[in-house]
Amino acid sequence: LPQIAACAAVLPLKKLRIFSRSAENREKLANAVKAQFDLDITLAGSVEEAVADAPVITLVTNATQPFLNPDMVKPGVHINAMGAIVLARSEFSTGFFPRCDVIAVDNLATIRSISGEFRAYYGTDEGDDEAWKEVRSVASLIEDDFTRPADADLTLFKAMGMGLSDMALAVDILAKAREQGLGHKVPERIKTP
């Protein structure tokens, strides 16, 4: 749900296709989305159906094998790869990298250390900065006032659970704890002059 909220904050979302290997999980997410967003929701029966002609694809899984391949994705698409945050996990094929005109990450050092997809393509040699030169941190793109090229085939953003996702998880846990009457209220902070 936080990833949908993030996309909705910067894009005029109207439609959302949801796929999960579990029909129950698809329904749960659809119901949660309906409670917060006014979107036309389709429960897709396959990955192919979910991504067909989609301008933005967001992956949030714990898959151990790539399930998204370049032949499934049309030119002009942006991919947010938010899952597969340990070496044993992988969501997308390394065949995407040659098609990407922009490859952005939240934290380059973390990606180089623990992203199976990136390490499989760019290598594991920590001293080989040349191989990794096309991978940019979001901070460097913002600093350079970089914008997406109009003719970009694909763009990719890979996050490894830094900061924002940790905060989103904390907000969700806090909300559930409050709903269940769990935890202890922290006293209001008293400001002194």
Side-chain angles (χ1 to χ4, degrees):
L1 205 51
Q3 293 304 323
I4 296 165
C7 287
V10 295
L11 297 169
L13 293 186
K14 294 178 182 165
K15 297 180 181 183
L16 176 69
R17 283 183 235 146
I18 299 171
F19 176 74
S20 170
R21 292 171 293 194
S22 160
E24 181 182 345
N25 287 345
R26 278 178 262 173
E27 284 287 338
K28 281 183 184 177
L29 181 56
N31 290 334
V33 170
K34 287 175 189 174
Q36 292 190 25
F37 302 95
D38 182 24
L39 297 173
D40 177 14
I41 299 172
T42 300
L43 299 180
S46 67
V47 173
E48 293 83 0
E49 182 185 343
V51 303
D53 297 322
V56 176
I57 299 169
T58 299
L59 311 172
V60 185
T61 76
N62 60 2
T64 57
Q65 295 294 318
F67 59 86
L68 186 68
N69 297 307
D71 61 343
M72 300 170 151
V73 179
K74 69 176 187 165
V77 170
H78 174 72
I79 300 168
N80 292 310
M82 311 310 282
I85 59 171
V86 296
L87 277 173
R89 307 271 185 218
S90 183
E91 296 180 311
F92 62 90
S93 160
T94 57
F96 278 101
F97 290 111
R99 285 189 59 190
C100 291
D101 291 287
V102 180
I103 301 170
V105 300
D106 58 353
N107 183 298
L108 185 54
T110 303
I111 296 290
R112 286 179 75 149
S113 296
I114 61 175
S115 172
E117 296 127 336
F118 278 71
R119 290 169 61 94
Y121 186 76
Y122 291 104
T124 59
D125 183 357
E126 294 299 320
D128 188 2
D129 291 335
E130 185 64 25
W132 287 79
K133 69 180 179 185
E134 65 189 28
V135 181
R136 307 258 326 258
S137 71
V138 170
S140 74
L141 294 172
I142 292 169
E143 181 180 4
D144 292 346
D145 199 24
F146 186 87
T147 57
R148 178 190 172 104
D151 61 347
D153 181 7
L154 299 177
T155 56
L156 171 69
F157 171 63
K158 175 69 177 173
M160 295 297 285
M162 311 310 292
L164 184 59
S165 60
D166 294 342
M167 180 60 76
L169 180 60
V171 168
D172 190 48
I173 290 169
L174 177 61
K176 287 180 180 169
R178 285 181 176 163
E179 287 173 8
Q180 296 174 15
L182 300 174
H184 301 281
K185 184 171 171 58
V186 176
E188 291 293 326
R189 182 175 163 203
I190 299 171
K191 295 182 182 180
T192 56

